[in-house]
Amino acid sequence: MKWTQTLIPTLRDAPSDAEIVSHKLLLRAGLIRKLAGGVYTFLPLGLRALRKIETIIREEMNRAGAIEVLMPALQPPEIWEQSGRAETASNVLFKVKDSSGRQWFLSPTAEEVITTLAANEINSYRQLPKNFYQISLKFRDEIRPRFGLMRAKEFIMKDAYSFDTTDDGAMASYKKMYDAYTRIFARCGLQAFPVEADTGVIGGNHSHEFMVPAETGENEVAFCEGCGYAANIEKATSGLPKTAPREVGAAVEKFATPGVVTIEALSKAPYGVPANRQIKTLVYIADSKEVLVLIRGDDQLNETKFLAKTGAVAVRPATPEECHAILGAKPGSLGAVVNIPAGVKIYADERLRGANDMTTGANEDGFHFRNVSLERDIQVTEWFDLRTVRAGEPCVKCGKSLKIRRAIEVGHVFKLGTKYSEKLNATFLDETGVRKPSVMGCYGIGVTRTLQAVIEQSNDKDGIVWPLNVAPYQVCITPLSVVPESQAMQLAEKIYAELTAQGVDVILDDRDDRPGVKFKDADLVGFPIRVGLGEKSLAKGEVEIKPRNGPVQFVKTEEAVAAVIKLIAANTTASKPG
Ligand code: ATP
Ligand code: MG
């Protein structure tokens, strides 16, 4: 490709709404343009990088035995009613109407469609296992689209869905996808690592997210350098000991705490109750029922764990007015010892189990109780691990100190079980003629997010540093004179033709521009190898070969093509395992 024939609108500065480096570079390097918030056009270079990632994904999916299909973006709401997700996923669904007034959902994912397909097309154990995948546009009504392609309203996802006859079979399918994901991200030049992930209401413990460490990531991951334990903070647990038991004190005693409405205020004089001897009482509305959640004063409730453990679909904190209506006091004086209306469930964090000599609100504004014993004084409905772990706590597996870092979720593998197959009748006849639901798994990769994650992880002050496998072009040839008869341009054309003939992706910067401009642009776009043809080195019979992230080399003009091919080969084997 000749630079002047394509469209590479590089920018000196990024638009002010681009906050993170990868978003800025996507725009500055002329890879994408914004049409509206969360909606982007891919320009030629951005599309080339995207296609390369898609190719890697396709190759690895095919290698893992998955088969490609393409499902519609328009989905009938009925199948979402059937799966029970029309309600629960409602906030992300784009709903459109056709001219007859019939409603459609724009695909945010495709469990319902593929399970309907399996229900119709798969009837016998002989047809299983099967794993279907597609690479297609997905639509999600994200309330806060941001960071460019990271959280968009319209994005490209690879989604795969496995169907097996048994649980063991489903685990084997899961493992294949897990291994394929590991290869895909490695081939994309990305350092991504798997972490245990929340499985939500579906339950089970087989879900991993693939995370790319980045300060700008929207996820937090707890990990242990000792044993390799790693989990999304929404799921992570630690080996922290329970609250130290004390002698069971006398009966509960009420005391006045005028104006004290925070854990901190109660921990100060004249009260001096340390946060770890306080019980925080939170009121939540879970699926329109009121529930109390108890957590130690120095801990934070993890809402994702709360949802997962209680099986609630939608939770929100009660308003101060609702708290007052339920317990008779405002937040700051709430507790679970007295005045609990019948039927209100009390969930408590495991760390409080067996604790005594605790202090909590008395459900009377301006009063607290001391000498509270969890077992004796509070009717806990159920105990769960509900707290968020913190850095420095002991690893649940080996006891070493946990660390926490931010990360970008690029992929997610999930064992679904029979939730969807039962609801949408994806059943098969087994060897003995008994009809059973298929055991499913689902596996997603954010393709456009992955593209941006590569840039977020791989850049320097001058621009993008593309890994060879996903670079829009592997080589950029930069003749300093573009006059057709010049030695530089003639040699440039020759090297261009030879490299192209050998299957290398090459772009020839044939712009009649100052060398400084051309070098800056080549670095900004981040081509892995630049071949410079200047008068000075040509006079010596040499060309300049400059790897984007390495020192310049001078080679004889006739050896230029071989030197480039050698560099490419060295980098390709390094990033192409197996
Ligand atoms: P997130 O927690 O980031 O909202 P998710 O868990 O809802 O993502 P999945 O349903 O697991 O996402 O989708 C599979 C993959 O699709 C994710 O791992 C992510 O890479 C990508 N993805 C999800 N939502 C978006 C989005 N709004 N924009 C770009 N990529 C997305
Ligand atoms: Mg996910």
Side-chain angles (χ1 to χ4, degrees):
M1 176 59 67
K2 305 283 170 64
W3 196 296
T4 54
Q5 284 167 7
T6 181
L7 178 68
I8 311 176
T10 55
L11 303 171
R12 188 198 297 260
D13 299 304
S16 59
D17 60 348
E19 295 164 68
I20 64 174
V21 64
S22 53
H23 186 195
K24 288 182 182 158
L25 287 173
L26 278 167
L27 294 163
R28 288 190 54 215
L31 303 179
I32 63 167
R33 282 295 179 264
K34 174 169 141 182
L35 177 63
V39 181
Y40 293 88
T41 297
F42 274 81
L43 300 181
L45 289 195
L47 185 62
R48 286 186 70 90
L50 185 68
R51 291 284 181 254
K52 291 197 176 179
I53 294 176
E54 289 178 356
T55 299
I56 291 173
I57 293 175
R58 259 196 193 93
E59 285 175 7
E60 293 299 340
M61 283 292 119
N62 295 344
R63 165 142 63 138
I67 40 183
E68 188 167 5
V69 293
L70 184 59
M71 292 178 259
L74 283 176
Q75 303 188 358
E78 291 75 20
I79 54 179
W80 286 76
E81 297 292 345
Q82 228 178 316
S83 73
R85 290 209 293 186
E87 262 310 281
T88 56
S90 184
N91 55 337
V92 296
L93 284 167
F94 271 106
K95 298 165 187 172
V96 293
K97 280 202 175 131
D98 66 18
S99 54
S100 70
R102 176 174 159 71
Q103 196 176 58
W104 301 86
F105 295 162
L106 292 183
S107 174
T109 176
E111 281 81 6
E112 282 77 4
V113 177
I114 199 72
T115 314
T116 301
L117 184 89
N120 292 329
E121 308 303 330
I122 292 174
N123 195 38
S124 157
Y125 72 95
R126 286 195 195 88
Q127 295 166 282
L128 295 174
K130 282 276 181 304
N131 188 347
F132 302 101
Y133 79 95
Q134 67 172 346
I135 298 177
S136 68
L137 275 178
K138 302 293 185 297
F139 303 85
R140 293 189 185 181
D141 193 2
E142 301 280 357
I143 336 163
R144 276 190 73 207
R146 57 187 201 141
F147 298 158
L149 306 174
M150 290 289 188
R151 184 164 299 285
K153 282 183 181 277
E154 180 188 310
F155 58 97
I156 296 177
M157 195 206 285
K158 185 285 301 174
D159 42 331
Y161 307 88
S162 63
F163 295 82
D164 276 272
T165 56
T166 62
D167 223 52
D168 284 352
M171 266 327 291
S173 296
Y174 181 93
K175 178 79 172 49
K176 270 190 199 158
M177 285 297 104
Y178 181 103
D179 292 343
Y181 276 35
T182 306
R183 288 196 298 271
I184 288 167
F185 295 122
R187 284 184 60 188
C188 288
L190 253 191
Q191 279 172 33
F193 61 96
V195 308
E196 292 178 17
D198 166 49
T199 47
V201 283
I202 298 160
N205 52 7
H206 287 295
S207 175
H208 287 88
E209 286 160 338
F210 284 77
M211 293 287 190
V212 173
E215 274 311 307
T216 53
E218 292 186 284
N219 294 268
E220 280 189 303
V221 171
F223 65 102
C224 170
E225 284 169 334
C227 67
Y229 170 75
N232 191 312
I233 200 88
E234 296 175 341
K235 166 95 196 299
T237 54
S238 77
L240 217 55
K242 294 217 165 42
T243 305
R246 292 185 177 173
E247 210 134 290
V248 179
V252 166
E253 184 189 318
K254 186 155 88 177
F255 64 108
T257 50
V260 170
V261 292
T262 62
I263 301 284
E264 208 202 338
L266 196 60
S267 71
K268 292 208 171 118
Y271 311 103
V273 184
N276 64 11
R277 304 305 309 182
Q278 299 186 39
I279 307 168
K280 209 160 24 181
T281 306
L282 306 167
V283 184
Y284 271 85
I285 311 296
D287 296 342
S288 51
K289 286 206 190 75
E290 301 136 355
V291 299
L292 303 190
V293 186
L294 310 185
I295 194 118
R296 216 169 79 170
D298 55 341
D299 281 336
Q300 289 300 325
L301 173 69
N302 187 316
E303 281 194 11
T304 308
K305 284 187 180 177
F306 177 43
L307 278 169
K309 301 279 167 56
T310 61
V313 173
V315 296
R316 65 169 176 87
T319 62
E321 294 71 36
E322 286 170 327
C323 290
H324 196 275
I326 299 161
L327 295 177
K330 288 205 277 299
S333 305
L334 302 177
V337 179
V338 296
N339 296 344
I340 312 300
V344 171
K345 290 190 171 150
I346 302 176
Y347 298 124
D349 178 55
E350 276 293 347
R351 207 173 176 208
L352 286 171
R353 205 195 270 263
N356 47 33
D357 191 17
M358 302 294 285
T359 296
T360 191
N363 283 343
E364 187 178 338
D365 288 342
F367 289 91
H368 278 79
F369 285 137
R370 60 166 73 102
N371 283 338
V372 175
S373 162
L374 266 290
E375 310 294 324
R376 184 190 64 190
D377 304 317
I378 298 180
Q379 301 294 318
V380 174
T381 315
E382 240 175 310
W383 297 89
F384 296 116
D385 164 37
L386 293 173
R387 64 183 291 280
T388 302
V389 304
R390 278 183 297 242
E393 291 177 6
C395 169
V396 66
K397 294 213 168 132
C398 77
K400 285 231 172 69
S401 183
L402 284 178
K403 292 192 169 160
I404 292 180
R405 71 176 154 201
R406 302 199 71 82
I408 301 162
E409 176 198 329
V410 285
H412 196 167
V413 292
F414 207 124
K415 183 161 165 274
L416 288 171
T418 55
K419 179 185 149 118
Y420 292 92
S421 49
E422 279 176 32
K423 293 206 163 124
L424 292 148
N425 306 317
T427 58
F428 64 94
L429 292 174
D430 74 3
E431 294 90 327
T432 60
V434 176
R435 190 164 283 285
K436 288 181 176 164
S438 300
V439 189
M440 291 176 60
C442 69
Y443 318 94
I445 290 181
V447 185
T448 39
R449 188 185 282 184
T450 297
L451 170 80
Q452 188 169 341
V454 169
I455 300 173
E456 187 69 21
Q457 199 171 64
S458 209
N459 67 76
D460 65 14
K461 65 175 188 0
D462 297 320
I464 303 170
V465 183
W466 283 110
L468 201 71
N469 286 350
V470 295
Y473 290 96
Q474 298 167 312
V475 178
C476 176
I477 302 176
T478 316
L480 298 192
S481 160
V482 293
V483 179
E485 306 76 42
S486 70
Q487 192 196 356
M489 193 57 179
Q490 292 204 346
L491 187 59
E493 292 276 12
K494 185 164 174 274
I495 296 174
Y496 174 79
E498 286 179 19
L499 283 174
T500 306
Q502 300 216 34
V504 178
D505 281 334
V506 198
I507 184 162
L508 199 167
D509 189 350
D510 58 343
R511 291 176 299 168
D512 188 9
D513 247 321
R514 282 180 294 117
V517 170
K518 294 166 81 160
F519 287 160
K520 255 199 158 62
D521 274 353
D523 280 351
L524 174 59
V525 177
F527 303 111
I529 299 167
R530 177 166 54 71
V531 179
L533 303 161
E535 304 302 332
K536 248 201 229 150
S537 41
L538 283 182
K540 286 191 271 176
E542 287 180 340
V543 301
E544 191 185 300
I545 296 183
K546 169 79 178 68
R548 177 64 177 79
N549 55 358
V552 63
Q553 314 164 12
F554 290 93
V555 301
K556 294 272 164 246
T557 47
E558 58 277 14
E559 286 160 18
V561 170
V564 169
I565 301 274
K566 204 171 142 198
L567 262 178
I568 291 176
N571 280 287
T572 313
T573 34
S575 56
K576 190 168 180 175

